Amino acid sequence: MGLHIAPDRSAEAPIIEFREVGKSYGVFKVLDQLSFSVKPGEHLALIGPSGSGKTTILRILMTLETVTSGNVFINGVSLNREQKNGRDIPASEAHLRKMRADIGMVFQHFNLFPHKTALQNVALAPVLTGRMSKAEAKDRAIQLLDKVGLANKADEYPSRLSGGQKQRVAIARALALQPKIMLLDEITSALDPELVEEVLNVITDLRNETDMTMLLVTHEMGFAKDFADRVLFFEQGKIVEDGPPSELFHSPHHERTKSFLRKVIAAGQRV
Amino acid sequence: MDWSWDFVAQIMPALTQGLLVTVEITLVSSVVALVLGLLFALAKMSPVGSVRRVAIIATEGIRRTPLLVQLYFLFYVLPDLGILLSPFTAGVIGLGLHYATYTSEVYRAGINNVPVGQWEAARACNLTTRQTWTEIILPQAIPPMIPPLGNYVIAMFKETPILSAITVMDLMGEALAQANFNYRYLEPITLVAAGFLLVSLISAAIIKLLENHLNLRAA
Amino acid sequence: MQNLDATIGYGRFILSGALATVELTIFSCALALLMAFLAGLALLSRSYSIRAVARIYVEFFRGTSIFVQLFAAYFVLPLVGISLTPVQAGVLAIGLNGGAYGSEVVRAGIQAVGRDQTEASIALNLTRWQAMWWVILPQAVVVMLPSFGNLAIEIMKATAVASLVTVSELTFQAQMVRSQTGETAIPFLLILVTYLVIASVLTALVRLLERRFSRGTAGA
């Protein structure tokens, strides 16, 4: 087949590549022969109606879902397949753990560990994955909590934090493993409107201060426009339009993109 | 270890007789447990505070002490107070009373699980108290109670061997009598274990089916 | 006065019986806890054969009563070369029986922890065992504790059956007093109260554990 051979490594070698990826639940197709690639350091916004497959892309990258067909490559290495003794087999747990090392994710519902304090939430994984000693991990966690403006909440349990504070702890937790790729899955959808801004400010800082590749799934069109260098508009598991935000938001080529944006504006959002 | 089919054949009639007694005990004590349990549940939900307290103390006291001791109490202590019970009667009362404390919790949970909104809606529809219970509350409360009540009936069936300790000649009683008489424990006890295992596996599967059926209907 | 002497005499019997009951309860609970976690985790294993073995253990011990199992352990096991003292037979039967019920508590407790916690653990690149030990179990234990409390009381109640294979615990001692003195009401009332006291101590212990383990969750 030759599909799983690493692509050429040139200066423009993609950090993420989807090749004809399909994903279905029974007869329901979530992703349909999807191909696209992302360059290192790119800031991507994935937009589109609910159920268009945006979140599934992030979940496949985080290895929370497997693909039904096709291949996903991270730095030219297949995420879902591996070569063992010359044979091409589904990725083992060991292979997946190696691949996950470069990827971090922030969830819509935070998914904080309720039995751990904010500090423990951030410091747990670096210690368990053997990257840092306990003392180092603690220092690093304090720095990260400070960075998201929560140094004073280090010893609080998640149940005592507001939604915005929880999400900022979750961002610090994802950063603790120093990922090269950061996946942000509707990170403000579960927040009260007045708490959205504090989270988006943290993301804006990250965008400007790090060279992480970032993929943002969002319904906040205004933020997508400010955040992204490139926007992908999805519908029914396919990319309808792919371009810089100035173009996609102000002079979209496709009728579907136009009608989606009209609905969003009608719902009161700034674009 | 030498299994003797001849011995099995020899004790089979006695064991069959015992099995009949076991089934009889299960049926009668189930009725006791289901009826008494309902009374306990009503008492525990009584509007009168003292009735509630007494009911809770009584049921918790029974639930937290061994059935075997309760059976001894019925069988050895009551005669001194002038109440003479046959082993069968003492066994049925003991088993039924013990499990009534469990079934009362099923009834209570079943009724409490009907949302408050249903009571309020019934009032808004101007139904009488009686209509509220028969038309609105009980039809919703009873179906979810059936699987747990069924499980307690199975549990009582499995627990009947303990009645042999007060000389009830149930399956276990007959098996022990045969074992002691012939000095052979292997066959009687293995047969009893196998018999109980078989019946409880089958009945648990039936309850599971029933539960799925009820869940489907509720969904 | 003679009544008082007799009561003190019973007292000594009952006290030694109570100690034996407590001992039997502790050992049986320990074995049950061990088996509950082993079988509970095995019930959730990815391997079909491990799940099958655990399922057979659970169904076997839940399918027959503790009474039958105790007699099998005491009278049948010696026939296959395993001779146990009455106390050993009691702990083995009661512990394995309790473990079978406990394994369902462990399984349900683990499954009660949301899928989101597993996903967060994967995103943080923890291994399956790290996720189980550091993330899932600490939360699952909080869910399991009330059921474990009930199970501990069921185990304590089950120890009474060990009297029938001559373990000299509370019920056995009451029977001794009855057969030697003909007294019935006082010895049986005394042991009923003793059982209630032990049950209350067990309940209080579990409450204490619940408070300790519930930090961080449920507003603590």
Side-chain angles (χ1 to χ4, degrees), chain A residues 84-144:
Chain A
K84 211 164 200 176
N85 305 327
R87 284 190 312 143
D88 180 61
I89 56 167
S92 65
E93 182 67 22
H95 179 77
L96 290 177
R97 289 203 64 223
K98 209 163 62 196
M99 299 304 291
R100 282 177 205 140
D102 286 337
I103 308 172
M105 182 161 179
V106 182
F107 296 87
Q108 179 178 359
H109 296 286
F110 333 125
N111 300 17
L112 289 180
F113 303 135
H115 60 302
K116 301 272 180 200
T117 62
L119 185 80
Q120 290 166 339
N121 261 282
V122 180
L124 183 71
V127 174
L128 290 183
T129 54
R131 290 202 182 196
M132 295 180 194
S133 70
K134 272 191 175 165
E136 284 173 311
K138 195 181 163 192
D139 286 347
R140 173 92 181 122
I142 291 172
Q143 280 174 29
L144 285 168

Side-chain angles (χ1 to χ4, degrees), chain B residues 183-204:
Chain B
Y183 296 109
R184 285 189 69 96
Y185 283 92
L186 176 64
E187 293 87 353
I189 292 182
T190 309
L191 285 174
V192 169
F196 274 101
L197 194 59
L198 192 70
V199 174
S200 48
L201 284 181
I202 293 171
S203 41

Side-chain angles (χ1 to χ4, degrees), chain B residues 25-35 92 96 103 152-153 156-157:
Chain B
I25 290 168
T26 308
L27 292 178
V28 181
S29 44
S30 295
V31 173
V32 174
L34 293 175
V35 173
V92 162
T103 57
Y152 281 129
V153 170
M156 289 168 72
F157 168 75

